[in-house]
Amino acid sequence: MNPPLSGINLARACGATTLFLTLAACGGGGGADVVATAPPPPPIVTPSVTVTGEASQVLVGGKPVTLNAAPVVGTTIAWTIVEGPGTLSAASGATVNYLPPAAGISANTTVRIKASAGDATKTFRVTVYPDPGAPGLGLLAGVLGSQGNLDGAGTAARFSTINAIAPDASGNLLVVDGGQRLRKVGAAGAVTTIALPASWPIFTDVSVAPDNTAYLLGLDGESKTRVLKLLPDNSAVPFLTSEQTGQPKRIVAGRAGLFLIGNAQIATVGLDGSAGVAIGNEQDGAAPCRDGNGATARLGAINDAALDAAGNLIVLACSSVRKITPAGVVTTLAGDLTATGTPRDGVGASAHFGNYQASVAIDQGGTIRVLDFDQPVANGDTSTIAYRLRMVAADGTVTTLASGTYRHDTPATPVAGWAYPVKWLRYLTDGTAIVSKGAELRKIADDGTLAAFAGDSGDITGEVTGPVATARFVNPRSISADLAGNLYVLDEVTRQRTTAYKISTAGQVTKILDTTLAPPLAASEIIASPDGTVYISQRRYVGKFDQPAYNAGAIYRLGADGVPQPFAGSTADALASAPRKDGQGAAADFYAITMLGFDADGTLYVEDQGNGALVYRRIDAAGLVTTVAALPAGVGVAPDGYRYRADSGAGLVYRLEASGARTVVAGTAGLSGNRIGAAPGSLIASPTHWDAPLGLAVTPTGPRTLAIVSGGAILKLVLPN
């Protein structure tokens, strides 16, 4: 008989058993055989710790930031600030508060806070921003001037398109602006808008009679001539509707009536609306120019006209200065009645005038002044325009006072301040000579010097880098910022050429991209990661008639050498109704891509469309694209917890609530033009940017600040506290 097993021996015997044990032998009951398995080894736990914070961007002197840490294993958390200023509420514990410094911050400052759990550590980064100053809009870089529709004093006003200008008898100037607004400019340059009946047509010209009654010329949808009479109290009454005046383009008001000026014919209308004599013949405008009486004269192409003190109409026609008496007799004061030839000074017929955008006015002494232009074509270049400011004496002697050239291509090349066409020479009652230049009015001296008067159309004549005070952008459309405070601007110079700029915290603008992406398409947006890595996206619409709509999208990462490197997606067609393809780099496709922002680890997230629905895509540092169900918390959100979007077509910036409600924080509906100062101010409404994804023109730059693209300007908006 075998000796009985002791407790120790029993344990050894049970331990030596391989698979089968009896319950009786190993402490079990019931005598049944059972199967036992060895317990699994305990899992290997890698020490780690996670840190979350209620904010990662805070103002100097701002409220504390609460940080929470959770270790994988039960270990006490130790907290330390390893970089930057500020204090912690405790040195250990699952939760601490970071308190930013109360003062002493003049630039964006990085603070790194480390949580340690044994050997595991995790660093949380907080950016502390300096005090942004008083709320309102200010200029960061570029130029405030533009087209627009702002009333205001002098250069603070904005005009859309100056179609015509006319002085009144009270020292003001009336301006037909964009064909639908009438603006009054005082002698000091203050601009106001005169309300006009909404039912009237688009106006083309204005003239003021000696009794200060203004007459506006327009054409209705039936090609009938319409004249609106505007009394000195700004009340408006219809004056004329006629089909018999040859669709005039200009109007001149005198004591006895109106002159309605067409291309080659002038009709006269009495103050009672009765028809008078006709000068020239609209149907025979190509006939050789000649003097004569009424309809027997031939005027050729008429450029401009003005009334002298005796009631004679002085007309620029046939590259000559013509005089038409109140009886309709046409004579030539100066010029050779030919449309070709080099402009020259001289007496009478020995002189010659240019035939391009010419304008005539009569100064306070009764002397005729002419602003004339011609196109001297050299080597096939039709963009160079020569201008001359000239004087015509009573005896027909023509003298040139000032001359030069400018270019009318885009962007224009500035020469002696005449970067845009200068026309519509007019004299105010105090003798000040005024011309229009682009979307502004300038005073002009006899030597051709231009001085500011009203409006500011800007001086964008090309790209200019350097200090922000003198930098210029051509057509900026997207902006982004890194955590250091640098701005990045995407500039669409043409539909084929894209440039990008960095605006440093030191106030310098440098070019970081100048390329034509292949295929030749302009990029659509720019975004910078927190550390300043720049990404450019490219969108392409490939819609075809009676075929499904395709789009294409690609993202490029900008290298240190300024060369965009393919990162994700491609310019291959992507069908709108198809699901999006995830994958590595070019294997993925995008349809309508909008780059939204980065998570705490620097991973890029974008918005797209797939199968007709909105989708979100995640792109890691290696360019791997994955569709995700939702955005991580904080992506695309400003430090204050809101999202901000710009509607460039309306000139508005919105703050979006979680409920979907939106509040205008910059810009005023119905106004266009940069007006800085107290918010909401005014921004430039640019319908030409209608195809840009919503929001590209605004980026958060701090807890209370936004950078906004508005025309050729980069603006800073400081939000209320």
Side-chain angles (χ1 to χ4, degrees):
M1 175 181 295
N2 294 326
L5 294 174
S6 66
I8 296 176
N9 290 332
L10 177 61
R12 290 173 178 169
C14 290
T17 305
T18 55
L19 294 176
F20 300 100
L21 297 173
T22 64
L23 288 176
C26 296
D33 291 337
V34 296
V35 178
T37 58
I44 300 174
V45 179
T46 302
S48 64
V49 62
T50 59
V51 178
T52 58
E54 63 180 1
S56 61
Q57 296 168 303
V58 64
L59 285 173
V60 60
K63 66 179 183 178
V65 177
T66 300
L67 303 176
N68 298 289
V72 172
V73 295
T75 307
T76 301
I77 302 294
W79 297 89
T80 55
I81 296 179
V82 296
E83 178 186 355
T87 58
L88 296 174
S89 62
S92 62
T95 300
V96 299
N97 290 328
Y98 165 73
L99 184 64
I105 300 295
S106 59
N108 294 6
T109 302
T110 297
V111 177
R112 298 184 189 276
I113 304 166
K114 184 174 69 174
S116 303
D119 294 333
T121 62
K122 182 69 174 181
T123 300
F124 187 85
R125 179 169 63 182
V126 176
T127 303
V128 182
Y129 293 82
D131 185 346
L137 278 168
L139 177 64
L140 285 173
V143 59
L144 290 173
S146 69
Q147 293 177 301
N149 62 343
L150 300 181
D151 288 348
T155 56
R158 295 291 181 271
F159 298 99
S160 175
T161 302
I162 297 178
N163 304 106
I165 61 177
D168 68 11
S170 302
N172 305 304
L173 191 71
L174 296 186
V175 179
V176 176
D177 184 18
Q180 295 179 309
R181 294 184 184 89
L182 183 65
R183 321 286 293 277
K184 182 170 74 173
V185 186
V191 179
T192 56
T193 299
I194 298 174
L196 295 176
S199 60
W200 282 81
I202 293 177
F203 295 101
T204 57
D205 197 21
V206 63
S207 183
V208 184
D211 65 356
N212 240 14
T213 299
Y215 295 86
L216 289 110
L217 173 69
L219 294 174
D220 64 15
E222 299 177 356
S223 297
K224 295 180 180 179
T225 297
R226 304 282 296 274
V227 177
L228 179 68
K229 183 178 181 179
L230 191 67
L231 300 177
D233 63 359
N234 291 338
S235 60
V237 294
F239 177 76
L240 176 69
T241 298
S242 174
E243 298 176 338
Q244 308 301 318
T245 52
Q247 294 189 356
K249 59 183 181 180
R250 298 293 323 285
I251 186 171
V252 176
R255 287 187 175 86
L258 308 179
F259 296 88
L260 300 178
I261 301 170
N263 289 315
Q265 177 178 313
I266 299 173
T268 59
V269 178
L271 293 180
D272 60 356
S274 60
V277 299
I279 301 101
N281 188 321
E282 194 74 36
Q283 306 304 318
D284 198 19
C289 301
R290 66 173 182 260
D291 293 340
N293 190 1
T296 64
R298 291 297 177 265
L299 301 175
I302 302 174
N303 292 114
D304 196 16
L307 273 175
D308 66 14
N312 300 303
L313 188 68
I314 306 302
V315 179
L316 286 179
C318 292
S319 299
S320 303
V321 176
R322 323 281 294 278
K323 182 173 77 172
I324 303 175
T325 68
V329 177
V330 180
T331 57
T332 300
L333 292 177
D336 54 9
L337 296 182
T338 62
T340 60
T342 302
R344 61 184 179 272
D345 290 346
V347 179
S350 65
H352 186 73
F353 296 86
N355 62 351
Y356 183 79
Q357 295 180 336
S359 180
V360 63
I362 299 173
D363 66 18
Q364 300 308 105
T367 302
I368 298 170
R369 304 296 182 104
V370 174
L371 182 65
D372 76 330
F373 306 83
D374 70 315
Q375 279 181 300
V377 178
N379 301 321
D381 178 14
T382 59
S383 296
T384 298
I385 306 297
Y387 69 85
R388 294 167 180 83
L389 180 60
R390 312 174 80 179
M391 180 173 66
V392 182
D395 64 354
T397 300
V398 179
T399 305
T400 296
L401 303 175
S403 64
T405 61
Y406 71 92
R407 294 179 62 84
H408 72 145
D409 52 357
T410 302
T413 301
V415 179
W418 294 57
Y420 299 94
V422 177
K423 57 182 181 178
W424 306 134
L425 174 67
R426 299 291 183 260
Y427 280 85
L428 301 180
T429 55
D430 65 359
T432 302
I434 303 293
V435 294
S436 69
K437 173 180 178 287
E440 65 190 35
L441 299 171
R442 294 284 191 101
K443 300 176 182 178
I444 184 171
D446 277 351
D447 63 359
T449 302
L450 299 175
F453 180 55
D456 180 4
S457 56
D459 59 355
I460 301 173
T461 56
E463 312 139 81
V464 180
T465 57
V468 292
T470 55
R472 296 293 181 265
F473 310 100
V474 176
N475 188 22
R477 57 181 295 155
S478 177
I479 190 169
S480 186
D482 62 21
L483 283 180
N486 302 299
L487 291 173
Y488 302 85
V489 179
L490 189 70
D491 195 2
E492 186 186 76
V493 180
T494 67
R495 292 296 292 174
Q496 289 77 38
R497 179 176 167 229
T498 296
T499 58
Y501 301 89
K502 177 180 179 180
I503 306 176
S504 71
T505 56
Q508 290 291 315
V509 178
T510 56
K511 187 179 293 186
I512 59 174
L513 172 70
D514 191 344
T515 187
T516 300
L517 297 177
L521 301 164
S524 61
E525 57 183 330
I526 191 169
I527 195 169
S529 69
D531 65 0
T533 302
V534 176
Y535 297 82
I536 307 288
S537 73
Q538 181 183 19
R539 300 177 67 189
R540 182 167 67 104
Y541 178 70
V542 205
K544 300 177 182 178
F545 181 71
D546 285 341
Q547 294 184 23
Y550 291 84
N551 263 25
I555 299 176
Y556 301 83
R557 184 160 53 195
L558 198 61
D561 57 358
V563 177
Q565 302 296 331
F567 178 60
S570 73
T571 53
D573 294 353
L575 185 61
S577 60
R580 299 279 63 84
K581 292 188 297 185
D582 290 341
Q584 182 69 45
D589 69 5
F590 299 101
Y591 179 75
I593 185 174
T594 300
M595 298 188 292
L596 298 178
F598 297 84
D599 63 16
D601 296 323
T603 300
L604 176 62
Y605 289 82
V606 305
E607 184 181 280
D608 201 359
Q609 291 183 12
N611 201 16
L614 182 69
V615 295
Y616 297 112
R617 323 284 295 278
R618 175 186 186 275
I619 310 173
D620 68 13
L624 178 62
V625 180
T626 307
T627 299
V628 295
L631 295 174
V635 171
V637 177
D640 61 5
Y642 295 103
R643 298 181 188 273
Y644 292 89
R645 293 291 182 267
D647 184 347
S648 298
L652 300 173
V653 173
Y654 296 100
R655 180 178 63 214
L656 305 182
E657 311 282 347
S659 64
R662 62 185 189 178
T663 303
V664 173
V665 296
T668 301
L671 296 182
S672 178
N674 286 321
R675 175 161 290 166
I676 59 176
S682 178
L683 305 176
I684 294 173
S686 304
T688 54
H689 282 183
W690 65 269
D691 58 337
L694 188 68
L696 299 186
V698 60
T699 189
T701 56
R704 284 177 47 214
T705 55
L706 304 173
I708 302 168
V709 174
S710 182
I714 309 300
L715 303 180
K716 175 183 179 180
L717 173 65
V718 179
L719 298 165
N721 194 357

